[in-house]
Amino acid sequence: MVALGILLSKIRHYLSTLTLIKGFFISLCLSAFIYLQYFEINYKAIDTILALTGLYLLFKSNKYTFFSVGFFTSLLWFWWIAVSFIHYDMSYLIPFVLLIIGFIYGLIFVGIYKLSHIPKDIYLQVGILVVSFLSLSYIHPFGFDWFKPELIFINSYFGIQKWQFAIVLLAISLSITQKNYLFLLLSLLAYTPNHPTITHDTKDIKLVSTNIDVKDKWDENKKAKHNQIMLSHIDKAIQQGYKTVVLPESVFIDYINYNQPLFDKLSKRAKKINIITGGLYLDGKTPRNSTYIFTRDGRVQVAHKYVLVPFGESNPLPDFLSDLVNDIFYDGAIDYKASKYIGTYKIDNKEYTNAICYEATSQKLYQNHPKIIIAISNNGWFIPSTEPTLQKLLLKYYVQIYHTTIYHAINMSESYMLTE
């Protein structure tokens, strides 16, 4: 009974009204950049002040508030993951999915707090706390690597390089430990004047935006109609004089390598324009999510997806659990197969790196510092939500870090190009 009383007492601390309110407010500050971008409110001062406020209040908090901040921040960033369950007719799982997401990041934040408070020396505590926050972007639950705390400054006056984020964290920590706000001025050393630019009009490459609902997209009765619409987009790009046209992820709901009539139609049009399109590829009995590249010189290349979506395309659980999950939730469907190599291809003597949806926002794709990426996505699984916004912010993050240019053709969102 004594142990139960202690446990209940601890739970009450985590669930106290003051802790929840404070944690939620801090989380709002640390998530505001997503929603400001979503509503197209572009003021660097607002982004900067809110991000600094969130970090300052968090660093002054106790472990109970740390858990609350991790819980609410993860939900404000990733609540849209649960939207995909609507398309699987599993809406009843949404509360459980949200709780799992919240608890994972809540425990991560509590772990950081406890780790930083192992030493009694205040400066060691600060050092561990700063290093822990710098390391957060390397913690990937189930392989999902979208949580990058420095991203809160992507639309601010500060840069998002690790050294810049370290300066801001140190400035905040010193202002708290020394009880002197003047230390916050050190964060000015992280100032960055330029940020990546977004454009929707490109000179030689036509980025096609489509608006096909997920259920309609996989409806066999509508497949022929959808395929014809995609071919019409290509024809229009030819008429407009583009050299290359890019269509979104898996817009042709076929194993193109097994559909000769469709393959021939694409090859015929490729005599006038380079065609980059998403499509399925059947490798024996194994499906792949792929990009087909038809070029004007008669070549056909296929680049397979290198980084698969955790649970969406490949189950990260052990085999015995993976099979069980696939049987229960995906009617026994087998996982997609990932490529062993990052896909690259050449068009008109220029090299491009292939990126299909999730992998465009994955750190793994940037290990070779690609100069130009052509990304194709289907955001239909998460519409309506802030997922396309966070996706765009992450791409801006990688453009700024790796000095990469990204062309992005999307289903259910507006296509765009990002460059420094």
Side-chain angles (χ1 to χ4, degrees):
M1 291 298 292
V2 174
L4 179 61
I6 294 174
L7 177 62
L8 291 175
S9 176
K10 287 186 176 181
I11 292 175
R12 280 196 294 270
H13 281 299
Y14 283 107
L15 298 179
S16 72
T17 302
L18 181 61
T19 295
L20 293 175
I21 291 175
K22 184 178 179 181
F24 186 66
F25 177 75
I26 294 172
S27 299
L28 284 176
C29 292
L30 298 178
S31 309
F33 73 103
I34 300 172
Y35 297 89
L36 290 171
Q37 175 79 47
Y38 180 83
F39 291 109
E40 298 182 350
I41 301 173
N42 301 312
Y43 294 99
K44 288 184 179 181
I46 296 177
D47 277 87
T48 304
I49 292 171
L50 288 173
L52 287 174
T53 300
L55 288 174
Y56 183 87
L57 293 176
L58 175 62
F59 278 28
K60 290 189 68 175
S61 299
N62 58 31
K63 66 179 179 181
Y64 306 112
T65 303
F66 258 73
F67 176 85
S68 184
V69 172
F71 186 93
F72 287 124
T73 300
S74 64
L75 293 188
L76 289 168
W77 282 43
F78 305 132
W79 63 270
W80 45 265
I81 292 175
V83 173
S84 64
F85 284 81
I86 296 173
H87 300 293
Y88 288 110
D89 295 322
M90 297 178 184
S91 299
Y92 60 90
L93 289 176
I94 289 177
F96 300 101
V97 172
L98 295 177
L99 283 173
I100 290 171
I101 293 170
F103 271 105
I104 287 174
Y105 284 95
L107 291 173
I108 289 173
F109 271 58
V110 166
I112 288 174
Y113 179 91
K114 289 189 173 182
L115 182 65
S116 67
H117 282 71
I118 290 176
K120 294 182 179 180
D121 184 86
I122 187 70
Y123 295 105
L124 282 177
Q125 290 180 0
V126 167
I128 293 174
L129 189 61
V130 169
V131 171
S132 296
F133 263 82
L134 289 172
S135 303
L136 261 179
S137 59
Y138 301 110
I139 299 175
H140 309 150
F142 301 110
F144 182 70
D145 65 347
W146 275 32
F147 190 73
K148 302 186 181 299
E150 57 267 39
L151 194 64
I152 63 177
F153 292 110
I154 191 66
N155 288 331
S156 74
Y157 285 115
F158 299 146
I160 44 79
Q161 300 282 354
K162 286 294 184 185
W163 67 268
Q164 293 169 314
F165 191 45
I167 287 173
V168 174
L169 295 178
L170 282 171
I172 291 172
S173 299
L174 289 172
S175 70
I176 294 172
T177 57
Q178 302 302 312
K179 299 179 180 180
N180 189 337
Y181 289 118
L182 290 177
F183 280 101
L184 288 174
L185 295 175
L186 290 173
S187 62
L188 295 175
L189 296 173
Y191 173 74
T192 294
N194 300 317
H195 290 277
T197 58
I198 300 175
T199 181
H200 301 285
D201 297 315
T202 55
K203 183 179 180 182
D204 296 321
I205 299 179
K206 173 67 175 180
L207 299 174
V208 174
S209 298
T210 56
N211 193 36
I212 304 174
D213 181 81
V214 169
K215 288 188 176 180
D216 288 341
K217 183 175 181 177
W218 297 98
D219 188 337
E220 282 290 327
N221 297 321
K222 298 180 179 180
K223 182 168 68 174
K225 178 183 177 182
H226 289 160
N227 286 355
Q228 187 54 50
I229 291 173
M230 296 308 114
L231 293 173
S232 297
H233 280 300
I234 297 172
D235 293 336
K236 184 177 180 180
I238 293 172
Q239 294 172 4
Q240 293 174 332
Y242 286 96
K243 294 180 180 179
T244 301
V245 60
V246 185
L247 284 77
E249 176 188 12
S250 62
V251 287
F252 291 104
I253 311 303
D254 276 297
Y255 293 109
I256 297 178
N257 59 320
Y258 275 82
N259 187 330
Q260 194 61 47
L262 176 59
F263 189 93
D264 291 341
K265 290 176 182 178
L266 291 168
S267 296
K268 181 180 179 181
R269 286 167 171 79
K271 295 177 180 179
K272 299 179 181 178
I273 192 171
N274 300 310
I275 301 170
I276 301 169
T277 182
L280 301 178
Y281 183 95
L282 193 60
D283 187 0
K285 293 184 178 180
T286 305
R288 291 181 183 267
N289 192 353
S290 304
T291 301
Y292 288 79
I293 305 98
F294 296 80
T295 54
R296 290 181 295 179
D297 58 8
R299 292 179 300 124
V300 179
Q301 305 168 70
V302 181
H304 303 303
K305 194 170 187 178
Y306 175 67
V307 184
L308 300 180
V309 181
F311 293 106
E313 294 174 323
S314 180
N315 202 316
L317 299 174
D319 289 342
F320 73 97
L321 285 176
S322 177
D323 293 339
L324 180 63
V325 169
N326 286 349
D327 287 338
I328 295 174
F329 298 110
Y330 302 111
D331 297 324
I334 62 174
D335 292 342
Y336 280 90
K337 187 174 181 179
S339 172
K340 295 180 180 179
Y341 311 100
I342 295 174
T344 59
Y345 50 87
K346 282 190 175 183
I347 299 177
D348 297 333
N349 293 319
K350 185 176 290 187
E351 184 173 271
Y352 299 93
T353 295
N354 180 61
I356 302 176
C357 204
Y358 172 74
E359 67 180 349
T361 57
S362 173
Q363 186 82 43
K364 294 179 181 178
L365 194 77
Y366 296 84
Q367 58 189 272
N368 297 326
H369 295 256
K371 292 183 178 180
I372 307 175
I373 289 176
I374 291 186
I376 56 177
S377 295
N378 173 26
N379 289 338
W381 294 102
F382 308 107
I383 296 298
S385 78
T386 53
E387 184 271 345
T389 303
L390 183 55
Q391 180 188 55
K392 183 186 293 184
L393 292 168
L394 282 163
L395 292 179
K396 289 176 68 175
Y397 170 89
Y398 285 116
V399 167
Q400 193 166 330
I401 288 180
Y402 293 99
H403 314 293
T404 302
T405 295
I406 301 177
Y407 295 89
H408 195 192
I410 316 170
N411 177 51
M412 297 300 285
S413 300
E414 189 176 16
S415 300
Y416 52 81
M417 181 185 77
L418 283 167
T419 189
E420 283 194 301

